[in-house]
Amino acid sequence: MELLFVLVAVVALAIFVLKWATNLLSPPPPNEKTHSPSAPNAGTRSGTSYVKKNLEHLPPQMAVSRSQADASIYLPSERWDELLVTTDQGLPTLFLQMHDGRLWLTEPSTGLLVSVGNRRLRRMGIWTASVRGVGYHKAAVRNGAFQPGAPVRLLREPDNAYDKNAVAVCSADDAHPAGYINKGMAAGLSKLIESGAPLRAISLAGQSPGEYGSNIDVLAATPAIVEHLLRRRPISTAPA
């Protein structure tokens, strides 16, 4: 019996050592990269014809090399004061381009992207936000055109029971909210809307009509600024 016990112990120890050696010599799994949520490619079941014809004139999608993949593609906060500025004409130096299936504000001298919701953008007359509450308005989201470049409507809801400054986001041809601007941004954006200032809003990320996605990002600014951000497009950006 003692000999049998010793043999079992030796076999168990051998198996443990073999597994340990196998794990030690095996290559580590690749690091998982975190990507921003992607939207469907523009032009698929487009609700408005001008979306496709304009997006095809945008700069080509950025090619990210292996060395760049390990570095941040976003403009670091320590460079915001230096690079998030306006020209002598009061226009931002940024431009919009397609990357990873959506539109991104891009800083031209570095090629780095500016995150949605960056508070510094408001000083430049640009409002960007991820739409909140999309999951509660699935019908409006599915029926609306929110693919990158599509026009959207920003509607004030002064009688909203949850936020007196509520700003609803709707598709261009629908008055049903697909979601709302977050409260922090709505406090300022609602005043701008009520002032009657000219404001144009477009989708940065979202889906085509008939599709549902949980992520919609929008950008709002004066028509002149939006046109300037899209300045690399050689044709008119006005809806057909």
Side-chain angles (χ1 to χ4, degrees):
M1 288 295 293
E2 292 182 358
L3 179 59
L4 178 61
F5 177 78
V6 171
L7 288 176
V8 172
V10 170
V11 171
L13 179 61
I15 293 174
F16 172 79
V17 171
L18 180 60
K19 289 184 177 181
W20 177 81
T22 300
N23 292 334
L24 182 64
L25 297 175
S26 299
N31 292 330
E32 294 184 356
K33 298 297 181 182
T34 301
H35 298 281
S36 300
S38 299
N41 291 331
T44 57
R45 301 185 62 188
S46 61
T48 50
S49 61
Y50 82 97
V51 173
K52 181 178 180 180
K53 75 178 182 181
N54 280 302
L55 287 183
E56 64 188 10
H57 290 277
L58 280 172
Q61 179 168 314
M62 296 191 328
V64 180
S65 67
R66 184 178 297 274
S67 60
Q68 290 174 318
D70 296 331
S72 175
I73 60 173
Y74 301 101
L75 188 68
S77 58
E78 58 266 22
R79 302 204 67 184
W80 290 355
D81 287 337
E82 171 194 358
L83 298 176
L84 294 183
V85 295
T86 56
T87 65
D88 293 339
Q89 292 75 36
L91 295 172
T93 58
L94 306 174
F95 69 93
L96 283 167
Q97 72 166 334
M98 288 294 293
H99 174 64
D100 199 21
R102 54 161 295 152
L103 284 171
W104 283 97
L105 284 169
T106 310
E107 199 288 311
S109 68
T110 61
L112 298 177
L113 310 179
V114 181
S115 299
V116 171
N118 187 311
R119 292 177 176 271
R120 192 65 58 93
L121 294 173
R122 303 182 204 178
R123 301 181 185 179
M124 308 166 70
I126 303 172
W127 302 73
T128 60
S130 294
V131 180
R132 303 291 181 86
V134 172
Y136 297 100
H137 305 277
K138 293 182 179 180
V141 173
R142 186 175 290 108
N143 294 330
F146 294 102
Q147 67 270 33
V152 297
R153 300 169 62 192
L154 302 180
L155 300 180
R156 277 284 290 116
E157 291 187 358
D159 298 326
N160 188 292
Y162 300 98
D163 181 10
K164 64 179 182 180
N165 297 314
V167 177
V169 178
C170 309
S171 179
D173 54 358
D174 188 3
H176 294 90
Y180 291 83
I181 302 296
N182 67 74
K183 286 188 176 182
M185 184 173 292
L189 189 56
S190 62
K191 295 178 181 178
L192 184 63
I193 295 173
E194 291 174 348
S195 71
L199 200 63
R200 178 180 171 191
I202 63 173
S203 176
L204 298 178
Q207 67 295 313
S208 301
E211 301 174 351
Y212 175 77
S214 59
N215 179 64
I216 299 176
D217 292 345
V218 296
L219 176 148
T222 65
I225 289 180
V226 173
E227 183 176 356
H228 178 73
L229 294 173
L230 295 166
R231 62 189 179 277
R232 292 196 174 189
R233 297 199 286 192
I235 62 177
S236 171
T237 58

